[in-house]
Amino acid sequence: MTDLTEHEVLVESAAAPEAPVGRSTGWWAMVLFIATESATFAAFLASYFYLRFSAKGPWPPTGDKAPDLTLPTIATVVLVVSCLPMLLGSRLAARRSRAGAALGTLGALAGGAAFLVLQILDWLSEWPESTLSKDAYGSLFYAITGLHTAHVVIGVGMLAFLAASLGVRRAAARPRGPVMLVAMYWYFMSVVALAVYVTVYLSPTL
C-alpha cells in the first residue's frame, strides 16, 4: 500500500464532513424563546402582585369570586405529572426508540388536553362574578391564565405534530433532536403552571 501524498490528504480532509460541535441551532432557538417568554410571564405576575398590594380593601375585590382551588390544583398536578412520560419519551428517543418516544409524547399530549379541559371548566366557574373587564383583578386573572393556556395549546399542537411525525417515521432516523426540543418547551409550561397557580389561585387565600 502506497502512502498518500500531501495533496491527497488535503483533498480527503476537505471532503470529509465535520462532526457537529456544541448545541444545535434549534436548541439555542428554543432557549432564547423560553427566555423571552419567561420575561413576559414574569412581567404579568409582577403586575399582579403590584396591583394586589396596592389595592385598598380585600383581594379579590368585593363582588368578585374568590378562586376555587379544586380544579386549578388538579389541572396543575396533571400538567406537571405529564412531564414524566415526556421525560421518558425523551430518554427513549436518545436510544433511537421511535415507539417509546411516540408513547411518551402521547402521554404528555393527554395530560395537556386534560389541563385545557379543566382550565375551561375553571373559567366557567368564575364567570360572571369575575370578568375580564370588571376590574383589575378580573383582567389580570383572565390575562395570566389565558396567556398560559394559549401557550399550552401551542405545546399540545407541537406534541400532536411530533407524535404524528414519529408515527409516519419522519423523525425515526434521528428522533432525539425534535423530542428534546418539544420536551424543553413542555417542561417550561409546567414550571409556568406552578408559578401561575401560586400567584393567581393560592396567594389570594393566604
Side-chain angles (χ1 to χ4, degrees), residues 27 33 36 54 117 131 167:
W27 186 90
F33 175 75
T36 302
S54 299
V117 172
T131 65

Side-chain angles (χ1 to χ4, degrees), residues 93-118:
R95 301 176 184 177
R96 302 202 174 193
S97 173
R98 181 177 58 85
L103 287 175
T105 301
L106 290 173
L109 176 61
F115 173 87
L116 294 177
V117 172
L118 291 168

Side-chain angles (χ1 to χ4, degrees), residues 38 45 76 79-80 83 148 184-198:
S38 297
L45 298 181
T76 303
L79 193 63
V80 172
C83 290
H148 179 242
M184 290 170 62
Y185 180 85
W186 200 245
Y187 303 152
F188 171 61
M189 283 298 96
S190 297
V191 172
V192 173
L194 290 172
V196 170
Y197 175 78
V198 171

Side-chain angles (χ1 to χ4, degrees), residues 134-149:
K134 183 177 181 180
D135 49 34
Y137 169 79
S139 297
L140 284 169
F141 175 84
Y142 287 102
I144 293 173
T145 57
L147 180 65
H148 179 242
T149 301

Side-chain angles (χ1 to χ4, degrees), residues 160-175:
F161 180 79
L162 178 60
S165 298
L166 291 167
V168 296
R169 297 177 179 272
R170 290 184 179 178
R174 304 179 69 178

